[in-house]
Amino acid sequence: MVELRPATPADSEFCFALRQVALRPYVEATWGWDEAAQRGFHERRFDPAATQIVTVDGRDVGRLVVERGPDETVLGLIELLPAYQGRGIGTALIRDLIAEGRPVALEVLAVNRKAYALYERLGFRETGRDETKVHMRIEVYG
């Protein structure tokens, strides 16, 4: 069973290890992976209050960072351990966000074609891009 639980400061190391296995190939292809720089980035950006840990049958397998603003929901980050990717977990979590009935925006690294394809299949459309990231959004009507 897939569930979400609130993150705590004690989840910081799990979340950094998750970043290493889930995003490292894309970060390496975009900027190069500098362990000290990535650790510092994580320590500055890890916010337990905005993070939920994805669990499957009680085991921590990923994280979800969502910011709900006044006009839209921003999917800040979704990461799953590689063994749990391709099982529909991420798709279900994103569909749940869409089902809230608000526009959802996100950014994806341009080199992460797998994630881009998933977002496109779910109805997100590109709204802009820069050298490293693609900005996407889905409008929700009704």
Side-chain angles (χ1 to χ4, degrees), residues 19 49 63 72 134-135:
R19 178 179 182 81
R63 72 172 163 160
E72 68 181 6
V134 178
H135 308 276

Side-chain angles (χ1 to χ4, degrees), residues 31-62:
W31 300 287
W33 183 273
D34 177 300
E35 189 77 16
Q38 290 299 317
R39 170 71 67 180
F41 177 82
H42 170 73
E43 289 172 359
R44 287 187 307 277
R45 298 287 306 262
F46 178 65
D47 178 7
T51 304
Q52 294 180 289
I53 302 299
V54 181
T55 66
V56 174
D57 298 326
R59 181 172 191 263
D60 295 346
V61 302

Side-chain angles (χ1 to χ4, degrees), residues 65-67 71-77 94 97-98 102-108 119 124-125 127 134-140:
V65 176
V66 175
E67 297 174 34
D71 301 319
E72 68 181 6
T73 297
V74 177
L75 173 56
L77 185 68
I94 296 166
L97 286 178
I98 295 167
R102 297 165 38 105
V104 180
L106 60 85
E107 294 178 342
V108 61
Y119 300 139
F124 286 83
R125 295 296 169 246
T127 59
V134 178
H135 308 276
M136 301 182 84
R137 181 178 176 89
I138 186 169
E139 299 293 337
V140 180

